[in-house]
Amino acid sequence: TSRGGPRLPRGEVVVGDGSFLITLEKRGFVKAGLWTPEAVMEHPSAVRQLHMEFLRAGANVLQTFTFSATEDNMESKWEGVNAAACDLAKEVAEEGGALVAGSICQTSMYKYHKDEARIKNLFRLQLEVFIRKNVDFLIAEYFEFVEEAVWAVEVLKEVGKPVAVTMCIGPEGDMHDVTPGECAVKLVKAGADIVGVNCRFGPQTSLQTMKQMKEGLAAVGLDAHLMVQSLGFHTPDCGKGGFVDLPEYPFGLEPRVATRWDIQKYAREAYNLGVRYIGGCCGFEPYHIRAIAEELAPERGFLPPASEKHGIWGSGLDMHTKPWIRARARREYWENLLPASGRPFCPALSKPDA
């Protein structure tokens, strides 16, 4: 695309956006369980505001809020939702020179009947709206099965725009035991320009999976841009299915929220691994996106607008009247802090239900 094509090939960092479903559920605009994005029509100002917050925090890409917005999930509403989602993302992106990515995700159909033609048709219906609205590029995200992710890539490649694909898998691979390395190879061979992971697992686990994807591609001499959009929650106790199997999902996850400093570490480690598209998924608030942009400001050469209201590494505290709070205005303090949860009778880790 004219605005976005050269960014990754030039080695630039692309900062993604963050959480929509989980964040808008907390704000009262999305119903848990269904997890569908009719808020784009019912409460457009709420969706617009969240796009704006991510843009201000430093996101270079605004994804259309079209997760699960397929005909099989939303019946007659699906087309209006996809169109409205594109309009909202485009309207905000134009205020800050960001790119708009049309987003599709796995279908609920695949698990029950692997009907390639029907599933591809669901993807194609969404794609037709994205093309009509002229999004900048396309993302297929949140796939548990590489076979279905490959089908998504094959459909998205039909229109000549750049295609990114991220799977919601951990280091153990997809739900048919295809390793992360093998998944990456299949997706690049299908034509994906950018591959990676999103959702289901926290920052550290997601980066372990990315390392395997990178190694898998290198082993067969394939090259692709790498992308990571992890949860904003710590989930070292996850099983293969990720955070949805933890007993706290979805209404008791707050004690697991990453700090802004955790996310600076994630951004730096992702960058050092060679990942150049770095964003977030569920639980990733605007201040987490700002943390990515601040950590990578030396490489990018600028800070996001939201940094006007944030002292780097807590430097804003240096004016405080209490000396022990002034003493926190430094990197070493926040980098080495072990934050307490304030819950003396709670375990540090849980056991997944599956």
Side-chain angles (χ1 to χ4, degrees), residues 250-310:
F251 302 126
L253 289 163
E254 285 83 354
R256 295 174 174 268
V257 175
T259 67
R260 63 196 71 195
W261 318 117
D262 295 331
I263 298 306
Q264 288 205 205
K265 182 170 185 265
Y266 155 78
R268 181 54 56 195
E269 289 179 0
Y271 186 86
N272 289 345
L273 189 59
V275 181
R276 290 294 176 270
Y277 185 140
I278 306 168
C281 204
C282 302
F284 240 85
E285 295 293 327
Y287 72 97
H288 291 122
I289 295 300
R290 180 177 63 188
I292 297 174
E294 288 188 350
E295 177 62 36
L296 297 174
E299 285 74 16
R300 300 170 83 219
F302 61 93
L303 286 164
S307 292
E308 291 163 17
K309 301 291 186 188
H310 189 236

Side-chain angles (χ1 to χ4, degrees), residues 243-258:
F243 84 141
V244 294
D245 296 335
L246 291 174
E248 300 94 334
Y249 174 86
F251 302 126
L253 289 163
E254 285 83 354
R256 295 174 174 268
V257 175

Side-chain angles (χ1 to χ4, degrees), residues 208-224:
Q208 290 167 25
T209 314
M210 287 309 303
K211 186 169 184 285
Q212 291 192 38
M213 284 193 162
K214 183 184 179 181
E215 288 166 355
L217 291 169
V220 295
L222 282 175
D223 198 25

